[in-house]
Amino acid sequence: MKFYITTPLYYINAEPHIGHAYTTIAADALARFYRMADYDVFFLTGTDEHGQKIAEAAKKQGVSPQQLADKNSETYKKLWKNLGISYTRFIRTTESSHEKVVEKVFRKLLEKGDLYKGEYTGHYCVPCEGYYIPEDEDSPLCPDCKRPMNKISEPSYFFRISKYAGRLRKYIEEHEFVKPDFRKNEVLNLIKSGVCDVSITRKNVEWGIVSPTPEKYTVYVWFDALLNYLSGIGYLHDEGLFEKYWPANVQLMAKDIIRFHNVIWPCMLMALDLPLPETIFAHGWWITGKEKISKSKGNAVSPGKIIEEYGVDALRFFLLREVPFGLDGEYSDETFKKRYNSDLVNDLGNLVNRTVNLVETKLSGTVAYSDTDNGLAEISAAAYENYEAKMKALALSEALEEAWKLVSALNKFLDEKAPWREGSTGVKQVLYSTVSGIRDCAIMLAPFIPESSLKIWRILGLPGDPCEYNFAALREKLPDGLTTQKREILFPRKK
Ligand code: MSP
């Protein structure tokens, strides 16, 4: 079975912040989960590099748009490397293979009559790269980002979305396509309120893919960028790859770009006679002080700083655990520290630390196979079953809660059995079960905190890497005679 997952392509006008990291980490956790569940995974991410917004940012910085794109796409790549993002492909919209696909699609839709020439007169929001109708014509503000819009009037090619809107509406009503569920009505209302054909060329924007038309306009940046989800897996140039992975299983993004992904994008696919993705999932925003964290608002929280202070896995864990996937989350250093100290230091770190201490002092560092019947194996099996269901439902925070039920059960078990007490009986069995349970935790947590799971794996003396094991390993007995290894503090406490 295959699993194709995508993130949005991020604009390279500025450096990434935790909002971009969030979507990418979520996609990574899902990609890792599906790999461990034996799926053939394709995970696509990358950068969106054309358009007026990028051209203006480059001009301000005194460099060419291409130079800005080269520099900042590298910054994204570097951050993804630091965050352990296991993408299959990082696509840039300035790659010629992508540009060729955009040109071919443009031609195809032109021939089909789904593109036509007209005149666009209206407003344009550069930060959102979108055409909007302002509430107040006299002081036209973007309804999404509330910033002033430009008035433009220019000849343009239009995409005949109106032809597909009815079909899309019916499709959304009948399928589990728009996720989370509470977004479905929002999208349906958007469609019902009237969908206009969208202008897909810009006459006065130079930085873009040149349209295959006599006028040589540039292609509207969203029409260009959305097609990455096809070009990134070989559409019109590697049909074998494309056939294997399309349609996408999960397309992730935040709620700010729902309109583009739930209306324009599926209509483009219908025009191309391609099946629609299985799920388009819009998560919430990270906000701080009631405002969306954003490059342009100057309130960006830097992932680099958090990684330096707490480590990569702490950031991955916090973002995916703190907020139910789909809702907004308020970021603060205080909540970060609190979650880190309680879950990672007290619950997980302490469990591993004290267990290994006991194995060393009570069993000379070796855990022998032991027949046990204390209910822990059942707790682990139930935790995995629920965890798997939550992962498949994209309920990432709840999946972590399920795994944590096992962490808590193991801590409770140790507290009750107190194998450190003089004269305590069955120490061998107690520690065998606890180590076995920790192994199961390391497997379930591997998609979320891969580096720490590997550390736990090594501390327990297990061979290989938990990420390379698939979940079937959970049903295997812990190998006999494991020898615990030199310990390092997994999560140092923060004051
Ligand atoms: N380039 C377009 C997307 C084109 S996809 C074909 C774009 N880029 S962006 O750089 O603005 O990135 C937007 C995405 O970044 C959001 O959809 C979300 O995935 C992520 N986030 C940016 N800020 C965020 C928050 N404050 N909170 C959560 N996610 C955020 O839009």
Side-chain angles (χ1 to χ4, degrees):
M1 291 235 273
K2 66 89 187 175
F3 182 75
Y4 175 33
I5 183 161
T6 67
T7 73
L9 294 198
Y10 306 108
Y11 288 128
I12 47 82
N13 56 316
E15 299 200 344
H17 58 67
I18 59 162
H20 309 104
Y22 183 46
T23 320
T24 317
I25 292 170
D28 185 63
L30 286 162
R32 286 175 183 268
F33 166 83
Y34 275 97
R35 277 188 209 114
M36 287 177 71
D38 248 356
Y39 283 68
D40 181 340
V41 171
F42 199 105
F43 169 14
L44 184 71
T45 189
T47 40
D48 189 351
E49 306 188 351
H50 291 126
Q52 191 171 355
K53 166 172 164 144
I54 308 289
E56 287 179 8
K59 200 166 169 208
K60 252 195 205 151
Q61 296 179 33
V63 293
S64 71
Q66 188 65 56
Q67 281 168 329
L68 184 68
D70 290 346
K71 176 170 151 267
N72 282 350
S73 64
E74 274 311 307
T75 311
Y76 270 95
K77 275 192 189 162
K78 217 189 263 165
L79 177 63
W80 297 160
K81 187 157 187 275
N82 289 342
L83 280 170
I85 304 301
S86 62
Y87 57 77
T88 316
R89 168 142 156 66
F90 185 103
I91 186 170
R92 300 180 53 187
T93 53
T94 51
E95 283 170 29
S96 75
S97 64
H98 169 76
E99 296 190 340
K100 279 190 195 126
V101 170
V102 175
E103 276 167 36
K104 283 187 190 166
V105 166
F106 199 109
R107 268 204 200 98
K108 214 167 162 166
L109 298 189
L110 200 58
E111 278 161 23
K112 197 177 169 193
D114 280 352
L115 305 186
Y116 63 91
K117 200 168 171 194
E119 176 88 16
Y120 178 78
T121 300
H123 291 88
Y124 192 81
C125 173
V126 179
C128 297
E129 292 282 18
Y131 305 91
Y132 295 91
I133 301 167
E135 261 175 36
D136 179 0
E137 281 280 341
D138 296 329
S139 80
L141 297 182
C142 169
D144 269 2
C145 74
K146 316 286 177 221
R147 281 177 278 207
M149 293 197 287
N150 300 341
K151 177 127 196 183
I152 53 178
S153 183
E154 59 189 35
S156 161
Y157 283 83
F158 285 81
F159 171 42
R160 219 182 281 281
I161 285 197
S162 49
K163 178 173 158 191
Y164 298 100
R167 220 172 105 192
L168 176 62
R169 183 173 151 185
K170 193 157 175 285
Y171 187 90
I172 291 175
E173 277 163 352
E174 290 170 0
H175 293 82
E176 298 289 301
F177 167 65
V178 176
K179 291 273 180 174
D181 294 338
F182 65 84
R183 297 263 173 228
K184 194 162 168 167
N185 271 339
E186 184 184 324
V187 174
L188 285 171
N189 287 338
L190 209 66
I191 300 172
K192 280 179 209 157
S193 69
V195 174
C196 309
D197 292 349
V198 59
S199 157
I200 58 152
T201 52
R202 296 299 312 275
K203 180 169 178 259
N204 298 315
V205 174
E206 273 175 35
W207 180 238
I209 299 171
V210 178
S211 66
T213 57
E215 308 85 349
K216 306 278 178 244
Y217 300 145
T218 53
V219 176
Y220 171 44
V221 62
W222 271 101
F223 189 82
D224 154 2
L226 285 163
L227 288 169
N228 93 87
Y229 301 133
L230 302 179
S231 67
I233 51 162
Y235 184 57
L236 302 179
H237 59 277
D238 182 350
E239 288 305 319
L241 190 71
F242 183 72
E243 290 288 311
K244 182 167 169 194
Y245 289 108
W246 191 259
N249 298 82
V250 174
Q251 300 211 259
L252 289 184
M253 73 227 49
K255 61 184 181 181
D256 47 344
I257 49 178
I258 284 182
R259 200 170 69 100
F260 299 99
H261 282 85
N262 281 303
V263 184
I264 302 181
W265 175 228
C267 289
M268 285 166 71
L269 290 168
M270 285 177 177
L272 290 168
D273 295 312
L274 288 171
L276 302 194
E278 202 178 301
T279 302
I280 303 256
F281 187 100
H283 60 67
W285 282 339
W286 281 98
I287 51 181
T288 170
K290 308 277 170 261
E291 278 233 61
K292 180 190 174 214
I293 292 179
S294 116
K295 293 175 265 206
S296 53
K297 289 198 183 114
N299 62 357
V301 178
S302 146
K305 249 183 82 195
I306 302 175
I307 297 174
E308 225 169 81
E309 195 176 347
Y310 288 89
V312 175
D313 282 352
L315 177 60
R316 293 177 61 109
F317 180 80
F318 173 81
L319 292 178
L320 299 184
R321 173 66 188 85
E322 190 65 15
V323 177
F325 202 48
L327 304 184
D328 288 350
E330 169 100 39
Y331 177 87
S332 82
D333 293 340
E334 270 315 297
T335 40
F336 193 103
K337 198 192 328 174
K338 205 163 149 217
R339 175 66 72 185
Y340 172 83
N341 278 333
S342 75
D343 292 16
L344 294 178
V345 179
N346 291 350
D347 296 346
L348 182 61
N350 195 28
L351 171 68
V352 175
N353 197 38
R354 62 186 180 146
T355 304
V356 176
N357 253 334
L358 285 162
V359 172
E360 280 169 6
T361 54
K362 300 280 176 184
L363 305 176
S364 313
T366 300
V367 191
Y369 175 74
S370 187
D371 240 346
T372 52
D373 181 19
N374 47 30
L376 278 183
E378 288 73 20
I379 293 178
S380 169
Y384 176 69
E385 199 179 311
N386 295 334
Y387 158 95
E388 185 188 28
K390 297 292 185 191
M391 288 302 275
K392 289 189 171 164
L394 306 182
L396 301 179
S397 169
E398 290 171 36
L400 276 169
E401 272 179 56
E402 293 301 332
W404 234 252
K405 285 186 184 155
L406 180 57
V407 174
S408 305
L410 292 168
N411 272 320
K412 190 162 161 255
F413 177 72
L414 269 189
D415 290 344
E416 280 168 10
K417 300 288 176 191
W420 49 84
R421 239 187 264 140
E422 276 306 312
S424 161
T425 55
V427 173
K428 229 179 92 186
Q429 284 89 341
V430 167
L431 292 179
Y432 177 82
S433 293
T434 314
V435 169
S436 177
I438 295 177
R439 186 263 325 245
D440 296 354
C441 292
I443 293 178
M444 277 191 267
L445 295 177
F448 292 90
I449 50 171
E451 223 175 61
S452 309
S453 286
L454 177 60
K455 278 188 192 163
I456 296 174
W457 206 253
R458 297 221 167 116
I459 293 171
L460 298 184
L462 285 157
D465 178 335
C467 300
E468 283 152 19
Y469 278 67
N470 67 29
F471 292 117
L474 286 169
R475 289 193 294 272
E476 285 167 17
K477 294 239 178 300
L478 191 71
D480 188 28
L482 279 186
T483 306
T484 53
Q485 304 296 308
K486 203 173 149 314
R487 218 161 340 124
E488 49 182 315
I489 297 293
L490 278 174
F491 303 106
R493 182 175 302 281
K494 296 286 172 191
K495 292 267 175 330

